[in-house]
Amino acid sequence: MNRFWSILFFSVPILAIVTFLLTQFAIWPFEEVWFGDSFSDAGKTIDGIFNGIHLLSAAILLGTVLTIGLIIWKFDHRRYEPNSKATYFSHNTKLELIWTAIPAVILVALAFVQMNAWSENKMDRPMTNVNGTMVETPPTVLVKAKQFGWEFYYPGADGILETEDDLYIENLMVVPEQTDIVMQLESRDVIHSFFVSDLRLKQDVVPGMVQFAWFNANRTGDLQILCTELCGWGHYKMSAKLRIVPQAEYDQWLADLQSEYYPSE
Amino acid sequence: MVPNTADNLLTAEPPRRNALVRFWTTYVFATDHKIIGLQFLFSSLIWFAIGGFFALAVRWQLAWPWSDMPIVGPALFAESGGQMPPEFYNMLFTMHATIMIFFVVIPILSGAFGNYLIPLMIGAEDMAFPRLNMFSYWFMWPAFGCMILSFFMPGYGPAAGWTSYPPLSVLASSAPSSGGAQQLWVLSLLFVGISSMMGSINYMTTILQMRAPGMKMFRMPMTVWALFITAIMQAFALPVLTAALLMQLSDQTFQTGFFIPEQATANNSTAASGGGQVLLWQHLFWFYSHPAVYIMILPAMGMVSDMLSCFSRKPLFGYRPMVYSITAIAGLGFVVWGHHMFISGMNRILAVSFMVSTMLIALPSGIKVFNWIGTMWGGRLHLTTPMLFSIGFVSMFVIGGLSGIVMSAPPVDIVIHDTYYIVAHLHYVLFGSSILGVFGAIYFWFPKMFGRMMNETLGKLHFLLTFIFLNCTFFPMHFLGRMPRRYAAPYVNESLEGLHDINVFITWSAMLMGAAQLIFAINFFGSLFFGKKSGRNPWRSNTLEWTAPSPPQHGNFESQPLVYRGPYEYSHPDREDDYWPQTDPATEK
């Protein structure tokens, strides 16, 4: 019984890290945890930062909680003479400076390491070459979120969004692979959030604001768009399909949509 | 006639009153800080049980969506045969969070322990403003009343999340609960705010003005320091919440449109007003609610520091750095709110500055953890129940703190924002840390409050089960990073189907964790009547409250305590005893 509590605390970081590792090997019940293999290169960078910080955390968790277990093991008063006293010390300036300085350096480094990923994902909108000048890539699709579904608008024959001839489709978004896709996000009612975990992409869709989000899918596949901002009773079922297809298939799909809308042309 | 002098008043026999009058003057019109502290303690514990049942109902739905709820289902939802509707689910998690934050953690830390301990630990006979103190508890009751009333409004009760983001919370057409229920929710929080403000003014004044002779600021126990800094934080953050709540109330009631954008529509009905900013609410709300996170943990940190030092029989390691790091956490806590809004549509460059300030706050938090470990190292540990809860607090705070660093990185937050990873993190901090700290503090100060010890065997069993099941409940949530929060039935989405088994496991763990709290309830109420008599200082602790009788009478101390040294002189080499009370005039032996 003397050792019981220290073993309990020893087991915390060990079990935590073991389960964490198990989740990496798709064993029951962890077949579908985390986010899956990223469908975008930007997502892979995010995964790298995520795993890096987790690795660092695992080291700190092991270091601190194993020490706690060791302290309980070593310094339980029952292991000493009845009148034995604790070592009397109240500070150690050198030690305290060390354990302030080292984390400070690590944290500052961490802050710098991720800035590029943030600007790549959220600040530097992809550029396109139009007649020799680089301009911000125009949106491929206009997304309007509403209680409880997603509306997608594609440019019609004029190739420009928000005109009379826009093509409209609900709860299905189709985009070509290996292309910079820019989305214009708007809300019809309350706040929603556009979340595709496989693309590591999320952006709140705020009424009264026009926002842009972008991604570049590196392979084809059928993904799911989920809403991640509470939007009312149907929040849980506010999903849409995101189909990533080869360029040729995308062109065909858009042409089909066009002819469905305007059969005479 | 005897002249009405102070001496006469002190010696005069108090007039005999009948039992009913005595009950009212002692327990309802109470101005004694100890009674008010206990009032806060009992009402918070009752709400803790209610909030816990709400959590279990949430877990029920997540494990077995749309299945008939046992016991309460047929009574509440007769027409559906006992299954909860999605609006009800939204109300459940909204009210679980609201109750736990505003009716449990904040009032139990600042209200219960703040009131009970501050005057006793600094050697004062009561708070600076006893009547203000009484009103601070009374203002909780209109808050309770409004919240209870809101359950009888359309839509089962407030259901816009505890964050209540407009326009969902403001446009009555967007959700059935966004009318009367939401207005009552706002009113309730306004009352809680008034109560907290009265409390914090009182704590600041008492700590600054009423310390016993010799009790310098840097001789105060960490508990008092933490409560002092918390009171300052509340005083600065609350006005912002109050203003934001009044704006939301006026949007709902008078259609003012502070938070409603132009031409806002929901369910084909256009709002009467517009031109407001949706994000304004989020900025104001988080300007209060991020400091509130620290309001909910700093007092627990203070109490844990005192317990760790006492049961290690060793001075607190780095007392001054501990004080400074609490101050740093409080200061930085005011400039990190934007990390809740990385992907809200807020200026994206601003995210970088909030990231830096958030990373910085990990530094003082880390110093605290290392200093707690330094406190225990080389000690003579007494593994009592409060000590186990304190050690549990430290190790759970490490996990919660580390996942905090993960999400302070904006690119990572893109993915995990509003998913179960966040739910895991916040419960490690609020349950794993704050609530374990509160439990430890209850076991530690129960003998002072009621003059009896709590049962150690039951206490340790309570710790063991709570500790195991809290980890089984909250650790697997980290892995559910792809599962959005606040989903009534996640598995209707095919990308989330594979997460069902883990959710069933989490629900079973949560129910067992809930059941383990019965041990605490039995121990608490049993010990009130049958616990072993404790005497003044059962833990052989240094601080002033242990020199008063247990429980202390009105006025606390028999004679004016004089303070000769700091609170952490354990195992001093010049002394025979391994503790040295702050009031002991002896210079050695």
Side-chain angles (χ1 to χ4, degrees):
Chain A
M1 200 58 198
N2 272 356
R3 298 288 183 225
F4 180 78
W5 297 113
S6 73
I7 291 167
L8 180 75
F9 282 97
F10 277 136
S11 64
V12 169
I14 293 171
L15 284 178
I17 289 167
V18 167
T19 11
F20 216 91
L21 288 175
L22 283 180
T23 62
Q24 307 294 322
F25 296 107
I27 312 161
W28 182 87
F30 303 123
E31 295 106 324
E32 290 184 42
V33 294
W34 297 117
F35 314 108
D37 197 15
S38 176
F39 272 73
S40 76
D41 296 341
K44 289 211 163 74
T45 316
I46 291 177
D47 288 353
I49 300 170
F50 199 33
N51 294 335
I53 304 180
H54 271 153
L55 211 62
L56 193 70
S57 305
I60 298 171
L61 180 66
L62 271 178
T64 46
V65 185
L66 285 186
T67 312
I68 289 174
L70 180 72
I71 286 172
I72 301 174
W73 186 284
K74 237 174 100 117
F75 298 113
D76 191 327
H77 81 285
R78 288 168 296 190
R79 292 175 45 76
Y80 294 86
E81 298 285 306
N83 285 324
S84 156
K85 279 207 226 164
T87 336
Y88 181 86
F89 61 89
S90 61
H91 60 281
N92 181 336
T93 314
K94 207 194 235 170
L95 199 62
E96 286 173 85
L97 282 178
I98 291 172
W99 71 40
T100 311
I102 293 178
V105 172
I106 294 176
L107 288 169
V108 171
L110 219 53
F112 276 101
V113 161
Q114 48 181 328
M115 281 185 190
N116 277 336
W118 175 252
S119 56
E120 182 188 3
N121 279 286
K122 289 289 176 191
M123 282 156 67
D124 304 333
R125 184 165 153 188
M127 306 293 270
T128 316
N129 191 334
V130 177
N131 305 327
T133 48
M134 296 301 278
V135 293
E136 286 188 328
T137 309
T140 315
V141 53
L142 166 63
V143 182
K144 287 196 179 181
K146 64 179 182 190
Q147 289 179 322
F148 301 99
W150 301 90
E151 297 173 352
F152 300 97
Y153 296 83
Y154 285 86
D158 60 358
I160 303 168
L161 272 170
E162 294 186 282
T163 50
E164 289 275 299
D165 65 349
D166 280 358
L167 310 172
Y168 161 76
I169 183 165
E170 198 155 306
N171 293 337
L172 172 68
M173 175 169 152
V174 181
V175 292
E177 61 170 338
Q178 283 161 8
T179 312
D180 285 332
I181 307 294
V182 175
M183 299 178 295
Q184 182 175 332
L185 299 166
E186 291 172 24
S187 167
R188 282 198 176 281
D189 37 49
V190 299
I191 307 178
H192 303 276
S193 189
F194 185 98
F195 177 41
V196 184
S197 61
D198 304 271
L199 288 167
R200 315 294 189 262
L201 173 69
K202 189 181 286 142
Q203 181 60 52
D204 278 10
V205 188
V206 183
M209 285 176 82
V210 174
Q211 296 185 85
F212 297 94
W214 48 87
F215 63 93
N216 189 326
N218 57 18
R219 61 184 191 275
T220 60
D222 274 359
L223 308 178
Q224 198 164 31
I225 299 162
L226 295 173
C227 176
T228 42
E229 190 62 68
L230 178 64
C231 57
W233 70 267
H235 174 50
Y236 67 98
K237 54 174 191 177
M238 183 174 159
S239 67
K241 246 199 186 95
L242 169 60
R243 188 174 294 156
I244 302 163
V245 295
Q247 184 72 44
E249 200 178 314
Y250 170 72
D251 294 338
Q252 184 59 46
W253 176 81
L254 205 57
D256 289 349
L257 191 65
Q258 176 82 16
S259 55
E260 213 176 287
Y261 256 69
Y262 305 101
S264 54
E265 290 171 45
Chain B
M1 195 182 141
V2 189
N4 207 5
T5 62
D7 277 350
N8 287 334
L9 282 175
L10 278 177
T11 49
E13 275 282 305
R16 296 288 298 169
R17 299 194 178 104
N18 72 39
L20 190 68
V21 174
R22 277 213 308 277
F23 173 82
W24 278 84
T25 50
T26 317
Y27 294 108
V28 183
F29 293 91
T31 51
D32 183 348
H33 72 100
K34 298 183 290 297
I35 303 290
I36 297 169
L38 294 181
Q39 287 171 331
F40 269 109
L41 180 70
F42 280 102
S43 49
S44 302
L45 286 177
I46 291 166
W47 280 106
F48 186 49
I50 298 171
F53 280 115
F54 278 56
L56 292 182
V58 166
R59 285 313 318 174
W60 175 268
Q61 168 74 7
L62 284 175
W64 304 286
W66 315 131
S67 60
D68 296 347
M69 282 177 81
I71 311 161
V72 286
L76 282 174
F77 316 112
E79 71 277 20
S80 69
Q83 70 180 49
M84 69 169 78
E87 297 95 322
F88 187 80
Y89 177 82
N90 289 1
M91 179 282 285
L92 282 177
F93 64 70
T94 300
M95 293 311 292
H96 165 66
T98 306
I99 289 171
M100 288 304 193
I101 290 166
F102 293 103
F103 289 178
V104 180
V105 183
I106 293 179
I108 210 169
L109 287 170
S110 295
F113 289 106
N115 262 313
Y116 202 94
L117 295 177
I118 288 174
L120 277 167
M121 287 184 122
I122 63 172
E125 57 186 12
D126 205 319
M127 285 285 179
F129 309 115
R131 270 190 210 88
L132 193 69
N133 211 9
M134 173 177 80
F135 281 117
S136 115
Y137 181 68
W138 280 13
F139 265 94
M140 289 305 281
W141 279 91
F144 297 158
C146 287
M147 213 53 106
I148 292 168
L149 208 59
S150 74
F151 292 119
F152 300 97
M153 291 286 155
Y156 303 104
W162 83 278
T163 49
S164 278
Y165 282 3
L168 181 68
S169 57
V170 171
L171 295 180
S173 55
S174 66
S177 62
S178 294
Q182 195 62 33
Q183 284 166 309
L184 284 166
W185 182 88
V186 172
L187 271 177
S188 175
L189 293 202
L190 280 170
F191 285 120
V192 175
I194 295 169
S195 157
S196 297
M197 187 56 113
M198 289 176 171
S200 65
I201 290 167
N202 220 340
Y203 301 160
M204 286 191 279
T205 317
T206 308
I207 293 171
L208 287 175
Q209 297 293 335
M210 298 186 59
R211 299 192 309 281
M215 179 63 88
K216 301 172 187 157
M217 287 301 269
F218 277 102
R219 280 182 182 171
M220 297 196 310
M222 285 307 294
T223 302
V224 179
W225 263 112
L227 287 163
F228 180 55
I229 304 282
T230 305
I232 297 174
M233 286 188 93
Q234 281 196 327
F236 279 89
L238 266 169
V240 179
L241 178 73
T242 308
L245 287 171
L246 285 172
M247 284 154 93
Q248 182 168 125
L249 189 63
S250 125
D251 271 12
Q252 288 155 350
T253 316
F254 311 113
Q255 277 80 44
T256 41
F258 289 109
F259 307 126
I260 305 172
E262 208 55 58
Q263 294 295 312
T265 46
N267 280 318
N268 300 321
S269 119
T270 306
S273 60
Q277 280 293 334
V278 173
L279 288 189
L280 177 61
W281 164 263
Q282 298 184 23
H283 280 292
L284 295 174
F285 179 80
W286 287 116
F287 186 85
Y288 166 78
S289 290
H290 198 81
V293 170
Y294 297 108
I295 290 168
M296 288 185 274
I297 189 131
L298 290 184
M301 286 178 165
M303 297 190 294
V304 163
S305 305
D306 284 354
M307 290 185 274
L308 283 177
S309 172
C310 173
F311 292 114
S312 302
R313 313 309 294 166
K314 217 178 130 268
L316 185 72
F317 187 87
Y319 171 67
R320 277 176 187 248
M322 287 294 244
V323 173
Y324 299 143
S325 59
I326 283 196
T327 317
I329 291 175
L332 283 169
F334 278 100
V335 289
V336 296
W337 80 89
H339 68 216
H340 296 270
M341 299 173 62
F342 282 151
I343 59 151
S344 66
M346 174 186 76
N347 184 331
R348 292 167 181 187
I349 300 171
L350 204 53
V352 179
S353 36
F354 280 117
M355 177 254 287
V356 174
S357 56
T358 308
M359 293 245 157
L360 281 181
I361 216 164
L363 209 54
S365 316
I367 293 173
K368 294 202 80 75
V369 171
F370 295 138
N371 282 9
W372 285 322
I373 292 175
T375 303
M376 289 189 279
W377 187 269
R380 295 291 177 267
L381 265 59
H382 291 252
L383 295 171
T384 56
T385 309
M387 180 61 165
L388 288 172
F389 273 103
S390 303
I391 303 174
F393 170 99
V394 177
S395 48
M396 295 298 96
F397 181 71
V398 171
I399 299 184
L402 288 170
S403 58
I405 297 178
V406 174
M407 61 190 56
S408 74
V412 177
D413 190 65
I414 295 174
V415 194
I416 56 182
H417 179 79
D418 261 332
T419 68
Y420 262 74
Y421 195 96
I422 306 286
V423 180
H425 161 76
L426 75 93
H427 282 99
Y428 263 99
V429 181
L430 276 181
F431 191 95
S433 307
S434 294
I435 294 290
L436 287 198
V438 164
F439 277 137
I442 291 176
Y443 283 100
F444 187 66
W445 278 291
F446 188 93
K448 185 52 58 186
M449 291 171 171
F450 305 108
R452 290 173 188 277
M453 305 294 287
M454 284 179 82
N455 183 295
E456 275 289 303
T457 314
L458 287 177
K460 284 175 179 164
L461 189 67
H462 171 224
F463 168 74
L464 179 66
L465 296 176
T466 306
F467 191 72
I468 290 175
F469 291 120
L470 104 86
N471 280 295
C472 290
T473 305
F474 299 122
F475 201 75
M477 286 184 186
H478 289 111
F479 312 145
L480 305 181
R482 70 158 69 211
M483 184 168 130
R485 297 167 71 174
R486 299 170 168 178
Y487 268 26
Y491 324 110
V492 299
N493 302 294
E494 60 193 53
S495 61
L496 305 176
E497 275 169 6
L499 303 176
H500 187 217
D501 290 340
I502 299 181
N503 274 298
V504 172
F505 174 79
I506 292 173
T507 297
W508 275 112
S509 308
M511 292 198 290
L512 291 170
M513 182 166 76
Q517 305 318 308
L518 290 177
I519 303 171
F520 172 75
I522 292 167
N523 195 354
F524 187 93
F525 290 106
S527 304
L528 272 183
F529 301 103
F530 308 109
K532 203 172 87 214
K533 284 264 176 11
S534 65
R536 282 179 190 231
N537 194 356
W539 311 115
R540 293 181 299 134
S541 178
N542 286 344
T543 38
L544 294 187
E545 76 272 29
W546 303 105
T547 60
S550 305
Q553 77 279 30
H554 194 77
N556 294 343
F557 300 96
E558 289 114 329
S559 57
Q560 173 67 56
L562 301 173
V563 179
Y564 295 92
R565 62 188 60 78
Y568 299 116
E569 295 299 328
Y570 292 101
S571 296
H572 196 282
D574 294 347
R575 272 178 67 87
E576 218 161 278
D577 288 338
D578 66 351
Y579 69 116
W580 202 353
Q582 288 186 278
T583 49
D584 187 351
T587 45
E588 57 188 64
K589 291 288 168 194

